[in-house]
Amino acid sequence: MARPVDLSHVAVIVSVKPDSPDRVANLARLRDYYAAMTTGAELVVVEQGAQPALDLPVGDDLRLLFRRDDGCHWKTRNMNLGAAVSARPYLLLSDCDTVPHPAALAEGMARLGAGADAAHVHNGIVMNISRRRAAALTGWAAFFDSVRTVAPETVDHRNACPDPDLYPLYGDDRYRAVGGAILCTRAAFFTAGGWNENFVGYGHEDREFDLRLRRLGHAVARVEGWNLYHLDHARGIDSRYASAFCRLNEAEFERVAAMSPEALRTYVDAGFRALSFDHRHDYDRVSTADEESWRRRAPRGIDLSDLVILVLADARVVRYWDSCLRDVLDDLETGFRNYEVRLCETGGTDFRHIHSKLNIVYRSSPAGFDAAALAAILTETGRPLVYRLRLVPEAAAQLQRVTALFDRVRAGTPPAEVFAPSAAGAGAA
């Protein structure tokens, strides 16, 4: 491994709302990475929560800021705060659980030195480091010596992962990830408006920032040849792309994408004018002298605590984007609560990203799931009712049938009269 990368002019900006022990452990690993693989970096961590939860000794390499707000994780707002408190001329805008290859960092700094305003320090492929492998790390230098770059054209999310401890999480030859780690000059960051705080939670904020930089005339480079590495973690509710804010974030991205450079400049200069969020059913806006946040309301929707939805997917028969599953899950999120989804996939891993949806557990098996395996899964849930959904290519017709079934529940029919007893329910009876 080459000598450490000089980041003495760089502030690494991170936002975190600790929602699991994994999150705290990964932040410590992130600090270890910069201590081992770079020199002179300033790590600026903005923690959001009801009370401070991070036990990281502050030193010359770390500035720890705390924002008392137990509402939804407001990453964009926190990142802007972190960028504002550092005076360094370059910023590395990082997720709290991603590490770039040191060689990519060195190349990114060279690109900025050659005139680029920003640089994505990876080739758009984000590799997931499992919790098991992260716990077994003996050092970052040894890790990077052991890995090889995965090229976008070789990624096929339909196929089973050859290494369950290190596999492509995001990106392929059709879509290159733009989030996780972007180097930029301090001047370009603030000239472009910083992070757009109309984005709350997760989803689309990285794409919008990248698009806005380019549309406002900034030179954005991508460092090819190296992957970005993501430290796996349990997903709390703020880590999921399933809240109402994800839909609002998508709408904000589309709003910005439709703007001309001139209109976008006006929008940025006006402070990303306040949007009218339709959050009435999910969040309350809190704006006081002591608190500025979005607070989640009590769960709404029809209670389906007795139901497990067993989804059977064969990637050789139907792809995720060609199936009705996304629409079914969106319908469940908006109209029901306390249900559980068990997704069992054979023939590949095309559906594995779906674990970011609410109340879902994903499993894949190249050998398939026989009757005994499915019965064991149902028994594990302990729920007395089951709805079995085997996905087929005829998505529109299948969605119509599924919607009609749940419409009966909406109309007042008890779930026990709509869904079948599960193996767990039959055993209990």
Side-chain angles (χ1 to χ4, degrees):
M1 179 63 67
R3 64 183 182 182
V5 183
D6 180 12
L7 295 185
S8 55
H9 299 293
V10 178
V12 183
I13 312 300
V14 173
S15 170
V16 61
K17 186 171 187 284
D19 56 3
S20 70
D22 299 329
R23 188 79 73 186
V24 176
N26 286 342
L27 193 59
R29 294 184 180 108
L30 186 75
R31 187 182 190 183
D32 290 343
Y33 163 84
Y34 284 102
M37 310 310 298
T38 74
T39 59
E42 177 188 49
L43 189 59
V44 182
V45 177
V46 181
E47 178 189 2
Q48 178 187 332
Q51 298 291 335
L54 299 180
D55 186 19
L56 295 175
V58 176
D60 292 339
D61 66 321
L62 175 67
R63 298 179 69 174
L64 186 58
L65 308 175
F66 177 71
R67 176 161 248 155
R68 192 177 305 279
D69 175 3
D70 198 30
C72 186
H73 182 208
W74 206 331
K75 170 189 168 183
T76 54
R77 182 189 62 176
N78 298 341
M79 295 289 280
N80 282 339
L81 172 62
V85 302
S86 174
R88 295 201 174 187
Y90 300 106
L91 304 174
L92 175 55
L93 308 170
S94 174
D95 285 357
C96 62
D97 46 26
T98 55
V99 294
H101 195 289
L105 271 181
E107 178 63 22
M109 291 299 297
R111 296 289 184 90
L112 266 57
D117 296 306
H120 297 286
V121 288
H122 55 89
N123 65 353
I125 304 301
V126 182
M127 302 293 290
N128 195 59
I129 304 174
S130 73
R131 281 167 261 180
R132 178 173 60 182
R133 181 156 184 178
L137 280 175
T138 57
W140 282 109
F143 171 80
F144 287 111
D145 284 339
S146 72
V147 298
R148 297 295 178 266
T149 299
V150 174
E153 61 271 14
T154 67
V155 175
D156 185 352
H157 292 293
R158 294 171 297 180
N159 294 329
C161 306
D163 183 354
D165 290 326
L166 186 66
Y167 58 85
L169 182 64
Y170 302 121
D172 55 26
D173 59 344
R174 296 168 299 174
Y175 167 74
R176 306 283 194 94
V178 294
I182 180 170
L183 266 171
C184 65
T185 67
R186 181 180 181 82
F189 177 81
F190 285 103
T191 300
W195 290 98
N196 180 346
E197 295 186 16
N198 289 327
F199 289 85
V200 182
Y202 288 96
H204 304 284
E205 76 282 356
D206 296 306
R207 294 174 63 205
E208 189 272 348
F209 182 67
D210 174 75
L211 180 150
R212 180 157 38 90
L213 281 171
R214 297 174 188 273
R215 189 155 297 176
L216 293 177
H218 296 287
V220 181
R222 181 180 288 283
V223 175
E224 302 287 356
W226 294 278
N227 302 135
L228 183 67
Y229 296 90
H230 171 265
L231 293 158
D232 194 46
H233 53 84
R235 290 186 176 270
I237 191 161
D238 278 343
S239 303
R240 300 178 186 272
Y241 297 86
S243 75
F245 278 117
C246 189
R247 311 292 178 255
L248 296 168
N249 289 351
E250 184 175 26
E252 172 69 355
F253 173 78
E254 292 172 353
R255 178 195 298 269
V256 170
M259 293 180 183
S260 67
E262 296 75 18
L264 182 56
R265 182 73 265 168
T266 300
Y267 187 66
V268 170
D269 290 345
F272 305 98
R273 68 182 182 274
L275 300 181
S276 177
F277 288 120
D278 181 17
H279 63 280
R280 293 165 294 175
H281 302 298
D282 295 293
Y283 297 88
D284 284 319
R285 176 71 164 152
V286 179
S287 183
T288 69
D290 299 320
E291 182 178 359
E292 187 78 22
S293 69
W294 296 92
R295 285 201 170 274
R296 185 179 299 277
R297 286 187 172 185
R300 62 187 178 90
I302 300 171
D303 183 57
L304 292 179
S305 299
D306 289 339
L307 179 67
V308 56
I309 302 164
L310 182 64
V311 180
L312 306 176
D314 189 331
R316 297 163 298 189
V317 175
V318 59
R319 300 286 303 277
Y320 168 61
W321 289 105
D322 298 325
S323 76
C324 70
L325 184 58
R326 184 183 185 191
D327 291 325
V328 170
L329 295 177
D330 285 348
D331 186 38
L332 286 168
E333 289 175 12
T334 56
F336 301 90
R337 58 188 171 91
N338 297 331
Y339 56 87
E340 183 172 336
V341 178
R342 293 297 179 103
L343 173 55
C344 302
E345 181 177 15
T346 59
T349 56
D350 189 60
F351 288 76
R352 63 189 169 87
H353 296 302
I354 204 66
H355 67 69
S356 64
K357 302 292 280 184
L358 285 176
N359 305 336
I360 191 165
V361 176
Y362 169 82
R363 294 183 181 179
S364 66
S365 172
F369 297 86
D370 58 20
L374 294 178
I377 290 172
L378 294 178
T379 300
E380 180 182 287
T381 69
R383 301 199 174 208
L385 301 176
V386 62
Y387 174 47
R388 296 172 184 256
L389 176 61
R390 184 178 295 276
L391 298 175
V392 298
E394 297 77 19
Q398 186 169 45
L399 177 62
Q400 190 174 28
R401 293 192 297 271
V402 175
T403 302
L405 196 68
F406 282 94
D407 279 347
R408 293 176 58 193
V409 181
R410 288 189 182 93
T413 304
E417 296 180 17
V418 178
F419 304 106
S422 72

